[in-house]
C-alpha cells in the first residue's frame, strides 16, 4: 500500500497515519459533553481573573477535565489583539507547528497544543467525538486566552475541528484560517470518488480511510460527515493546495482532487466573510511548503479580528 501510494496522500485523506487500532469504550455524545468541565473542582478558583496575568510561556502540561494536555505558547499578549491558536493535523503535534508559531509570535501571542492521543498529551479514555475534543479545546482557550478573543488556524483535521467548533463559540472565536482543511463530507467524498468495486491500492485506501473516520486513528476521533454551520461574519481564510499530489492515486486521483477542491469551497459557508485562495506551490502541508502564505493569511485574519 505505502509502496504504491505516497504516505502524504494517505495522511491527507484519512487525516492520520493508518494502521492504528481502536481502544475500548463508546464515542462521547453531545449529551455527555459538559462544557463547564474544563477544570477539576480542586483547581477552580471563583475569584481568579478570567484574563490571565501570568500567561503560559514556552511548553508546559496543563490539566483539563482530568487529562494532561501539552501546550506551547510564545509571543507577548497585547491588549485588544486576539490570541492565535494553531491546530495540527492528525498524526502531527506542536513540534510540527513550531516554525510557524515562532514566526507568528513576532506580532501576536500564539499557542498550539497536542490533542488527546497526539504528541505529549494523554490518551483519551475511549472514542472521541467533536464534542469531546471541543471540550479539550475550550479548556485550552480558558487557560491560554481567558476572555480575550481567539483566532483558530487549523491544518487538515485541525482545520475541520476549528470550523466545527467556531459556530458554537462565537463569543470567543473571532476568526478562522483553514489550511487544506479536511472536507466536511470527506467520508462521502471518498466513497463517491473510489467506488466499492475498486481493487488494489485504491480499494485499500478507501477501506482504510473509512475505518479511520470511524475512530481507528491515534486520537480515536470519530469523524462523521455533516453540513457546514455558520459562525456569522467572522473573517475566514480558506487555503487549498495547488500541487495536485492526489493524482498519484492510480485511476481515481483526478476524482479525489476534484472532491477535495469541492470540499474547500464548502467551507466558505462557515462565514459570510470567508475567502478562498490557492497555495500554488504547495501540497497538503501548506504551512511547510509555503510558510509565507500561511503567515500572511493568519496575520490578516488576526488584524481583521482586532478591528471588529
Amino acid at each position: 500500500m505505502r509502496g504504491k501510494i505516497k504516505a502524504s496522500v494517505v495522511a491527507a485523506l484519512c487525516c492520520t497515519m493508518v494502521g492504528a487500532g481502536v481502544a475500548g469504550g463508546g464515542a462521547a455524545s453531545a449529551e455527555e459533553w459538559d462544557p463547564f468541565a474544563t477544570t477539576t473542582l480542586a483547581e477552580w478558583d471563583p475569584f481568579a481573573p478570567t484574563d490571565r496575568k501570568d500567561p503560559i510561556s514556552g511548553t508546559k502540561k496543563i490539566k483539563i477535565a482530568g487529562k494532561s494536555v501539552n501546550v506551547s505558547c510564545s509571543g507577548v499578549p497585547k491588549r485588544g489583539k486576539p490570541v492565535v491558536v494553531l491546530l495540527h493535523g492528525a498524526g502531527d503535534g506542536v513540534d510540527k507547528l513550531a516554525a510557524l508559531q515562532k514566526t507568528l509570535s513576532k506580532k501576536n501571542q500564539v499557542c498550539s497544543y497536542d490533542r488527546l492521543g497526539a504528541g505529549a498529551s494523554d490518551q483519551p479514555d475511549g472514542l472521541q467525538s467533536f464534542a469531546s475534543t471541543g471540550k479539550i479545546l475550550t479548556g485550552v482557550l480558558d487557560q491560554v486566552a481567558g476572555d480575550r478573543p481567539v483566532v483558530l488556524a487549523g491544518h487538515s483535521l485541525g482545520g475541520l475541528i476549528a470550523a466545527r467548533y467556531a459556530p458554537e463559540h462565537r463569543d470567543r472565536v473571532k476568526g478562522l484560517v483553514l489550511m487544506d482543511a479536511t472536507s466536511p463530507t470527506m467520508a462521502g467524498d471518498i466513497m463517491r470518488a473510489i467506488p466499492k468495486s475498486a481493487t488494489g491500492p485504491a480499494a485499500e485506501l478507501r477501506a482504510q480511510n473509512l475505518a479511520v473516520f470511524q475512530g481507528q486513528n491515534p486520537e480515536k476521533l470519530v469523524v462523521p460527515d455533516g453540513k457546514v454551520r455558520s459562525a456569522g461574519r467572522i473573517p475566514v481564510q480558506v487555503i487549498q493546495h495547488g500541487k495536485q499530489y492526489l493524482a498519484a492515486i492510480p485511476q481515481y486521483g483526478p476524482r479525489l482532487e476534484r472532491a477535495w477542491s469541492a470540499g474547500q469551497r464548502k467551507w466558505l459557508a462557515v462565514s459570510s466573510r470567508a475567502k478562498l485562495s490557492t497555495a500554488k506551490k504547495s501540497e497538503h502541508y501548506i504551512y511547510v511548503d509555503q510558510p509565507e502564505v500561511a503567515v500572511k493569511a493568519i496575520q490578516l485574519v488576526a488584524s481583521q479580528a482586532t478591528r471588529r
Side-chain angles (χ1 to χ4, degrees), residues 8 11 70 72 86-102 112-114 119 155 284-289 291:
S8 61
N70 189 50
S72 173
L86 306 176
L87 283 79
H88 61 78
D92 297 328
V94 297
D95 55 337
K96 187 79 173 181
L97 296 165
L100 176 63
Q101 180 170 319
K102 181 178 180 180
S112 57
Y113 73 104
D114 293 324
H155 169 250
H284 187 50
Y285 281 87
I286 292 170
Y287 67 92
V288 174
D289 294 341

PDB file of all heavy atoms in Angstrom, residues 8 11 70 72 86-102 112-114 119 155 284-289 291:
ATOM      1  N   SER A   8       2.020  10.811   2.214  1.00  0.00           N
ATOM      2  CA  SER A   8       1.364  12.108   2.388  1.00  0.00           C
ATOM      3  C   SER A   8      -0.044  12.103   1.822  1.00  0.00           C
ATOM      4  O   SER A   8      -0.932  12.800   2.306  1.00  0.00           O
ATOM      5  CB  SER A   8       2.188  13.210   1.710  1.00  0.00           C
ATOM      6  OG  SER A   8       2.306  12.974   0.324  1.00  0.00           O
ATOM      7  N   ALA A  11      -2.142  10.311   4.437  1.00  0.00           N
ATOM      8  CA  ALA A  11      -2.316  11.165   5.611  1.00  0.00           C
ATOM      9  C   ALA A  11      -3.308  12.277   5.343  1.00  0.00           C
ATOM     10  O   ALA A  11      -4.111  12.638   6.197  1.00  0.00           O
ATOM     11  CB  ALA A  11      -0.968  11.754   6.036  1.00  0.00           C
ATOM     12  N   ASN A  70      -0.556  18.877  26.542  1.00  0.00           N
ATOM     13  CA  ASN A  70       0.687  19.570  26.246  1.00  0.00           C
ATOM     14  C   ASN A  70       0.404  20.839  25.444  1.00  0.00           C
ATOM     15  O   ASN A  70      -0.173  20.780  24.352  1.00  0.00           O
ATOM     16  CB  ASN A  70       1.612  18.644  25.451  1.00  0.00           C
ATOM     17  CG  ASN A  70       3.001  19.206  25.282  1.00  0.00           C
ATOM     18  OD1 ASN A  70       3.624  19.624  26.257  1.00  0.00           O
ATOM     19  ND2 ASN A  70       3.508  19.219  24.062  1.00  0.00           N
ATOM     20  N   SER A  72       1.924  24.753  24.065  1.00  0.00           N
ATOM     21  CA  SER A  72       3.082  25.596  23.776  1.00  0.00           C
ATOM     22  C   SER A  72       2.607  26.989  23.414  1.00  0.00           C
ATOM     23  O   SER A  72       1.723  27.146  22.563  1.00  0.00           O
ATOM     24  CB  SER A  72       3.892  25.008  22.608  1.00  0.00           C
ATOM     25  OG  SER A  72       4.927  25.896  22.204  1.00  0.00           O
ATOM     26  N   LEU A  86      -3.082  27.538  17.076  1.00  0.00           N
ATOM     27  CA  LEU A  86      -2.833  26.654  15.942  1.00  0.00           C
ATOM     28  C   LEU A  86      -3.300  25.242  16.265  1.00  0.00           C
ATOM     29  O   LEU A  86      -3.033  24.732  17.360  1.00  0.00           O
ATOM     30  CB  LEU A  86      -1.336  26.636  15.608  1.00  0.00           C
ATOM     31  CG  LEU A  86      -0.660  27.992  15.375  1.00  0.00           C
ATOM     32  CD1 LEU A  86       0.844  27.799  15.163  1.00  0.00           C
ATOM     33  CD2 LEU A  86      -1.284  28.707  14.184  1.00  0.00           C
ATOM     34  N   LEU A  87      -3.973  24.599  15.312  1.00  0.00           N
ATOM     35  CA  LEU A  87      -4.442  23.222  15.482  1.00  0.00           C
ATOM     36  C   LEU A  87      -3.779  22.337  14.433  1.00  0.00           C
ATOM     37  O   LEU A  87      -3.944  22.555  13.226  1.00  0.00           O
ATOM     38  CB  LEU A  87      -5.962  23.145  15.340  1.00  0.00           C
ATOM     39  CG  LEU A  87      -6.796  23.627  16.535  1.00  0.00           C
ATOM     40  CD1 LEU A  87      -6.873  25.154  16.557  1.00  0.00           C
ATOM     41  CD2 LEU A  87      -8.203  23.051  16.491  1.00  0.00           C
ATOM     42  N   HIS A  88      -3.024  21.362  14.885  1.00  0.00           N
ATOM     43  CA  HIS A  88      -2.277  20.486  13.997  1.00  0.00           C
ATOM     44  C   HIS A  88      -3.178  19.471  13.304  1.00  0.00           C
ATOM     45  O   HIS A  88      -4.293  19.193  13.741  1.00  0.00           O
ATOM     46  CB  HIS A  88      -1.186  19.746  14.778  1.00  0.00           C
ATOM     47  CG  HIS A  88      -1.711  18.871  15.882  1.00  0.00           C
ATOM     48  ND1 HIS A  88      -2.278  17.627  15.656  1.00  0.00           N
ATOM     49  CD2 HIS A  88      -1.733  19.047  17.235  1.00  0.00           C
ATOM     50  CE1 HIS A  88      -2.624  17.084  16.806  1.00  0.00           C
ATOM     51  NE2 HIS A  88      -2.317  17.926  17.783  1.00  0.00           N
ATOM     52  N   GLY A  89      -2.666  18.905  12.222  1.00  0.00           N
ATOM     53  CA  GLY A  89      -3.355  17.817  11.557  1.00  0.00           C
ATOM     54  C   GLY A  89      -3.170  16.525  12.327  1.00  0.00           C
ATOM     55  O   GLY A  89      -2.329  16.434  13.230  1.00  0.00           O
ATOM     56  N   ALA A  90      -3.941  15.516  12.010  1.00  0.00           N
ATOM     57  CA  ALA A  90      -3.833  14.233  12.707  1.00  0.00           C
ATOM     58  C   ALA A  90      -2.490  13.594  12.384  1.00  0.00           C
ATOM     59  O   ALA A  90      -1.970  13.702  11.279  1.00  0.00           O
ATOM     60  CB  ALA A  90      -4.966  13.312  12.307  1.00  0.00           C
ATOM     61  N   GLY A  91      -1.926  12.938  13.384  1.00  0.00           N
ATOM     62  CA  GLY A  91      -0.620  12.326  13.222  1.00  0.00           C
ATOM     63  C   GLY A  91       0.511  13.294  13.483  1.00  0.00           C
ATOM     64  O   GLY A  91       1.683  12.906  13.481  1.00  0.00           O
ATOM     65  N   ASP A  92       0.179  14.575  13.713  1.00  0.00           N
ATOM     66  CA  ASP A  92       1.186  15.605  13.985  1.00  0.00           C
ATOM     67  C   ASP A  92       1.077  16.071  15.423  1.00  0.00           C
ATOM     68  O   ASP A  92       0.385  15.457  16.230  1.00  0.00           O
ATOM     69  CB  ASP A  92       1.004  16.791  13.026  1.00  0.00           C
ATOM     70  CG  ASP A  92       1.216  16.420  11.570  1.00  0.00           C
ATOM     71  OD1 ASP A  92       2.035  15.518  11.322  1.00  0.00           O
ATOM     72  OD2 ASP A  92       0.568  17.019  10.690  1.00  0.00           O
ATOM     73  N   GLY A  93       1.748  17.185  15.743  1.00  0.00           N
ATOM     74  CA  GLY A  93       1.706  17.744  17.083  1.00  0.00           C
ATOM     75  C   GLY A  93       2.309  19.135  17.083  1.00  0.00           C
ATOM     76  O   GLY A  93       2.585  19.715  16.021  1.00  0.00           O
ATOM     77  N   VAL A  94       2.534  19.669  18.278  1.00  0.00           N
ATOM     78  CA  VAL A  94       3.045  21.034  18.386  1.00  0.00           C
ATOM     79  C   VAL A  94       4.428  21.181  17.749  1.00  0.00           C
ATOM     80  O   VAL A  94       4.792  22.263  17.278  1.00  0.00           O
ATOM     81  CB  VAL A  94       3.089  21.500  19.857  1.00  0.00           C
ATOM     82  CG1 VAL A  94       1.694  21.535  20.452  1.00  0.00           C
ATOM     83  CG2 VAL A  94       4.006  20.617  20.703  1.00  0.00           C
ATOM     84  N   ASP A  95       5.210  20.096  17.737  1.00  0.00           N
ATOM     85  CA  ASP A  95       6.547  20.177  17.145  1.00  0.00           C
ATOM     86  C   ASP A  95       6.478  20.503  15.660  1.00  0.00           C
ATOM     87  O   ASP A  95       7.320  21.235  15.134  1.00  0.00           O
ATOM     88  CB  ASP A  95       7.320  18.881  17.379  1.00  0.00           C
ATOM     89  CG  ASP A  95       6.586  17.641  16.881  1.00  0.00           C
ATOM     90  OD1 ASP A  95       5.351  17.690  16.751  1.00  0.00           O
ATOM     91  OD2 ASP A  95       7.257  16.620  16.639  1.00  0.00           O
ATOM     92  N   LYS A  96       5.488  19.981  14.971  1.00  0.00           N
ATOM     93  CA  LYS A  96       5.336  20.226  13.542  1.00  0.00           C
ATOM     94  C   LYS A  96       5.014  21.698  13.271  1.00  0.00           C
ATOM     95  O   LYS A  96       5.367  22.250  12.228  1.00  0.00           O
ATOM     96  CB  LYS A  96       4.216  19.341  12.985  1.00  0.00           C
ATOM     97  CG  LYS A  96       4.066  19.369  11.472  1.00  0.00           C
ATOM     98  CD  LYS A  96       5.089  18.494  10.791  1.00  0.00           C
ATOM     99  CE  LYS A  96       4.850  18.386   9.302  1.00  0.00           C
ATOM    100  NZ  LYS A  96       5.826  17.507   8.636  1.00  0.00           N
ATOM    101  N   LEU A  97       4.352  22.353  14.230  1.00  0.00           N
ATOM    102  CA  LEU A  97       3.917  23.733  14.071  1.00  0.00           C
ATOM    103  C   LEU A  97       4.920  24.741  14.625  1.00  0.00           C
ATOM    104  O   LEU A  97       4.686  25.952  14.540  1.00  0.00           O
ATOM    105  CB  LEU A  97       2.577  23.938  14.789  1.00  0.00           C
ATOM    106  CG  LEU A  97       1.377  23.154  14.241  1.00  0.00           C
ATOM    107  CD1 LEU A  97       0.242  23.174  15.250  1.00  0.00           C
ATOM    108  CD2 LEU A  97       0.917  23.734  12.913  1.00  0.00           C
ATOM    109  N   ALA A  98       6.035  24.260  15.174  1.00  0.00           N
ATOM    110  CA  ALA A  98       6.958  25.131  15.905  1.00  0.00           C
ATOM    111  C   ALA A  98       7.482  26.297  15.066  1.00  0.00           C
ATOM    112  O   ALA A  98       7.529  27.441  15.535  1.00  0.00           O
ATOM    113  CB  ALA A  98       8.121  24.307  16.448  1.00  0.00           C
ATOM    114  N   ALA A  99       7.895  26.032  13.828  1.00  0.00           N
ATOM    115  CA  ALA A  99       8.453  27.099  12.992  1.00  0.00           C
ATOM    116  C   ALA A  99       7.400  28.153  12.664  1.00  0.00           C
ATOM    117  O   ALA A  99       7.674  29.361  12.720  1.00  0.00           O
ATOM    118  CB  ALA A  99       9.035  26.508  11.709  1.00  0.00           C
ATOM    119  N   LEU A 100       6.189  27.708  12.349  1.00  0.00           N
ATOM    120  CA  LEU A 100       5.104  28.641  12.064  1.00  0.00           C
ATOM    121  C   LEU A 100       4.786  29.470  13.294  1.00  0.00           C
ATOM    122  O   LEU A 100       4.608  30.690  13.210  1.00  0.00           O
ATOM    123  CB  LEU A 100       3.865  27.867  11.604  1.00  0.00           C
ATOM    124  CG  LEU A 100       2.592  28.684  11.347  1.00  0.00           C
ATOM    125  CD1 LEU A 100       2.810  29.671  10.215  1.00  0.00           C
ATOM    126  CD2 LEU A 100       1.419  27.758  11.036  1.00  0.00           C
ATOM    127  N   GLN A 101       4.731  28.835  14.441  1.00  0.00           N
ATOM    128  CA  GLN A 101       4.424  29.534  15.685  1.00  0.00           C
ATOM    129  C   GLN A 101       5.490  30.586  16.000  1.00  0.00           C
ATOM    130  O   GLN A 101       5.164  31.705  16.405  1.00  0.00           O
ATOM    131  CB  GLN A 101       4.311  28.529  16.837  1.00  0.00           C
ATOM    132  CG  GLN A 101       3.996  29.174  18.179  1.00  0.00           C
ATOM    133  CD  GLN A 101       3.650  28.149  19.239  1.00  0.00           C
ATOM    134  OE1 GLN A 101       2.942  27.182  18.977  1.00  0.00           O
ATOM    135  NE2 GLN A 101       4.150  28.352  20.451  1.00  0.00           N
ATOM    136  N   LYS A 102       6.738  30.236  15.798  1.00  0.00           N
ATOM    137  CA  LYS A 102       7.834  31.174  16.079  1.00  0.00           C
ATOM    138  C   LYS A 102       7.720  32.420  15.214  1.00  0.00           C
ATOM    139  O   LYS A 102       7.892  33.547  15.703  1.00  0.00           O
ATOM    140  CB  LYS A 102       9.179  30.491  15.847  1.00  0.00           C
ATOM    141  CG  LYS A 102      10.380  31.378  16.144  1.00  0.00           C
ATOM    142  CD  LYS A 102      11.685  30.629  15.934  1.00  0.00           C
ATOM    143  CE  LYS A 102      12.881  31.533  16.234  1.00  0.00           C
ATOM    144  NZ  LYS A 102      14.174  30.805  16.020  1.00  0.00           N
ATOM    145  N   SER A 112      -0.230  26.625  20.638  1.00  0.00           N
ATOM    146  CA  SER A 112      -0.635  25.377  19.999  1.00  0.00           C
ATOM    147  C   SER A 112      -0.722  24.318  21.087  1.00  0.00           C
ATOM    148  O   SER A 112      -0.226  24.525  22.199  1.00  0.00           O
ATOM    149  CB  SER A 112       0.373  24.963  18.914  1.00  0.00           C
ATOM    150  OG  SER A 112       1.682  24.849  19.458  1.00  0.00           O
ATOM    151  N   TYR A 113      -1.356  23.204  20.777  1.00  0.00           N
ATOM    152  CA  TYR A 113      -1.475  22.153  21.780  1.00  0.00           C
ATOM    153  C   TYR A 113      -1.625  20.803  21.101  1.00  0.00           C
ATOM    154  O   TYR A 113      -2.064  20.717  19.947  1.00  0.00           O
ATOM    155  CB  TYR A 113      -2.660  22.413  22.724  1.00  0.00           C
ATOM    156  CG  TYR A 113      -4.015  22.182  22.111  1.00  0.00           C
ATOM    157  CD1 TYR A 113      -4.761  21.039  22.410  1.00  0.00           C
ATOM    158  CD2 TYR A 113      -4.566  23.097  21.214  1.00  0.00           C
ATOM    159  CE1 TYR A 113      -6.009  20.818  21.836  1.00  0.00           C
ATOM    160  CE2 TYR A 113      -5.802  22.889  20.641  1.00  0.00           C
ATOM    161  CZ  TYR A 113      -6.528  21.750  20.950  1.00  0.00           C
ATOM    162  OH  TYR A 113      -7.759  21.527  20.376  1.00  0.00           O
ATOM    163  N   ASP A 114      -1.208  19.756  21.814  1.00  0.00           N
ATOM    164  CA  ASP A 114      -1.414  18.395  21.338  1.00  0.00           C
ATOM    165  C   ASP A 114      -2.791  17.928  21.800  1.00  0.00           C
ATOM    166  O   ASP A 114      -3.079  17.927  23.002  1.00  0.00           O
ATOM    167  CB  ASP A 114      -0.349  17.453  21.922  1.00  0.00           C
ATOM    168  CG  ASP A 114       1.050  17.737  21.397  1.00  0.00           C
ATOM    169  OD1 ASP A 114       1.174  18.103  20.218  1.00  0.00           O
ATOM    170  OD2 ASP A 114       2.018  17.583  22.171  1.00  0.00           O
ATOM    171  N   GLY A 119       0.981  13.668  20.178  1.00  0.00           N
ATOM    172  CA  GLY A 119       2.137  14.283  20.812  1.00  0.00           C
ATOM    173  C   GLY A 119       2.337  13.855  22.248  1.00  0.00           C
ATOM    174  O   GLY A 119       2.285  12.668  22.575  1.00  0.00           O
ATOM    175  N   HIS A 155      -4.820  23.094  10.394  1.00  0.00           N
ATOM    176  CA  HIS A 155      -4.389  22.380   9.192  1.00  0.00           C
ATOM    177  C   HIS A 155      -5.059  21.013   9.149  1.00  0.00           C
ATOM    178  O   HIS A 155      -5.147  20.320  10.159  1.00  0.00           O
ATOM    179  CB  HIS A 155      -2.863  22.199   9.202  1.00  0.00           C
ATOM    180  CG  HIS A 155      -2.361  21.262   8.144  1.00  0.00           C
ATOM    181  ND1 HIS A 155      -1.853  20.017   8.434  1.00  0.00           N
ATOM    182  CD2 HIS A 155      -2.312  21.381   6.793  1.00  0.00           C
ATOM    183  CE1 HIS A 155      -1.504  19.412   7.303  1.00  0.00           C
ATOM    184  NE2 HIS A 155      -1.769  20.218   6.302  1.00  0.00           N
ATOM    185  N   HIS A 284      -0.107  19.146   0.543  1.00  0.00           N
ATOM    186  CA  HIS A 284      -1.029  19.238   1.681  1.00  0.00           C
ATOM    187  C   HIS A 284      -0.515  20.136   2.804  1.00  0.00           C
ATOM    188  O   HIS A 284      -1.285  20.884   3.406  1.00  0.00           O
ATOM    189  CB  HIS A 284      -1.295  17.830   2.213  1.00  0.00           C
ATOM    190  CG  HIS A 284      -2.349  17.754   3.274  1.00  0.00           C
ATOM    191  ND1 HIS A 284      -3.588  18.343   3.134  1.00  0.00           N
ATOM    192  CD2 HIS A 284      -2.352  17.156   4.498  1.00  0.00           C
ATOM    193  CE1 HIS A 284      -4.322  18.098   4.225  1.00  0.00           C
ATOM    194  NE2 HIS A 284      -3.581  17.398   5.058  1.00  0.00           N
ATOM    195  N   TYR A 285       0.788  20.092   3.074  1.00  0.00           N
ATOM    196  CA  TYR A 285       1.347  20.873   4.183  1.00  0.00           C
ATOM    197  C   TYR A 285       1.685  22.280   3.708  1.00  0.00           C
ATOM    198  O   TYR A 285       2.850  22.633   3.515  1.00  0.00           O
ATOM    199  CB  TYR A 285       2.561  20.176   4.780  1.00  0.00           C
ATOM    200  CG  TYR A 285       2.195  19.051   5.706  1.00  0.00           C
ATOM    201  CD1 TYR A 285       1.967  17.763   5.219  1.00  0.00           C
ATOM    202  CD2 TYR A 285       2.051  19.267   7.079  1.00  0.00           C
ATOM    203  CE1 TYR A 285       1.608  16.728   6.072  1.00  0.00           C
ATOM    204  CE2 TYR A 285       1.691  18.243   7.939  1.00  0.00           C
ATOM    205  CZ  TYR A 285       1.474  16.977   7.432  1.00  0.00           C
ATOM    206  OH  TYR A 285       1.116  15.957   8.281  1.00  0.00           O
ATOM    207  N   ILE A 286       0.679  23.098   3.576  1.00  0.00           N
ATOM    208  CA  ILE A 286       0.851  24.447   3.055  1.00  0.00           C
ATOM    209  C   ILE A 286       1.793  25.258   3.934  1.00  0.00           C
ATOM    210  O   ILE A 286       2.652  25.992   3.440  1.00  0.00           O
ATOM    211  CB  ILE A 286      -0.510  25.142   2.931  1.00  0.00           C
ATOM    212  CG1 ILE A 286      -1.344  24.461   1.830  1.00  0.00           C
ATOM    213  CG2 ILE A 286      -0.354  26.637   2.645  1.00  0.00           C
ATOM    214  CD1 ILE A 286      -2.791  24.896   1.773  1.00  0.00           C
ATOM    215  N   TYR A 287       1.665  25.140   5.258  1.00  0.00           N
ATOM    216  CA  TYR A 287       2.498  25.953   6.142  1.00  0.00           C
ATOM    217  C   TYR A 287       3.958  25.499   6.160  1.00  0.00           C
ATOM    218  O   TYR A 287       4.816  26.208   6.687  1.00  0.00           O
ATOM    219  CB  TYR A 287       1.916  25.986   7.557  1.00  0.00           C
ATOM    220  CG  TYR A 287       1.941  24.675   8.312  1.00  0.00           C
ATOM    221  CD1 TYR A 287       2.999  24.330   9.137  1.00  0.00           C
ATOM    222  CD2 TYR A 287       0.862  23.785   8.227  1.00  0.00           C
ATOM    223  CE1 TYR A 287       3.005  23.147   9.852  1.00  0.00           C
ATOM    224  CE2 TYR A 287       0.861  22.604   8.936  1.00  0.00           C
ATOM    225  CZ  TYR A 287       1.940  22.285   9.745  1.00  0.00           C
ATOM    226  OH  TYR A 287       1.941  21.093  10.448  1.00  0.00           O
ATOM    227  N   VAL A 288       4.245  24.344   5.566  1.00  0.00           N
ATOM    228  CA  VAL A 288       5.627  23.879   5.407  1.00  0.00           C
ATOM    229  C   VAL A 288       6.139  24.215   4.007  1.00  0.00           C
ATOM    230  O   VAL A 288       7.248  24.725   3.840  1.00  0.00           O
ATOM    231  CB  VAL A 288       5.719  22.358   5.644  1.00  0.00           C
ATOM    232  CG1 VAL A 288       7.138  21.847   5.338  1.00  0.00           C
ATOM    233  CG2 VAL A 288       5.348  22.016   7.083  1.00  0.00           C
ATOM    234  N   ASP A 289       5.319  23.947   2.995  1.00  0.00           N
ATOM    235  CA  ASP A 289       5.723  24.194   1.611  1.00  0.00           C
ATOM    236  C   ASP A 289       5.795  25.676   1.282  1.00  0.00           C
ATOM    237  O   ASP A 289       6.695  26.123   0.560  1.00  0.00           O
ATOM    238  CB  ASP A 289       4.744  23.513   0.646  1.00  0.00           C
ATOM    239  CG  ASP A 289       4.777  21.997   0.747  1.00  0.00           C
ATOM    240  OD1 ASP A 289       5.773  21.465   1.276  1.00  0.00           O
ATOM    241  OD2 ASP A 289       3.807  21.350   0.302  1.00  0.00           O
ATOM    242  N   PRO A 291       5.340  28.621   3.792  1.00  0.00           N
ATOM    243  CA  PRO A 291       5.017  29.216   5.096  1.00  0.00           C
ATOM    244  C   PRO A 291       4.581  30.670   5.004  1.00  0.00           C
ATOM    245  O   PRO A 291       3.763  31.129   5.800  1.00  0.00           O
ATOM    246  CB  PRO A 291       6.321  29.063   5.893  1.00  0.00           C
ATOM    247  CG  PRO A 291       7.388  28.851   4.859  1.00  0.00           C
ATOM    248  CD  PRO A 291       6.727  28.120   3.750  1.00  0.00           C
TER     249      PRO A 291
END
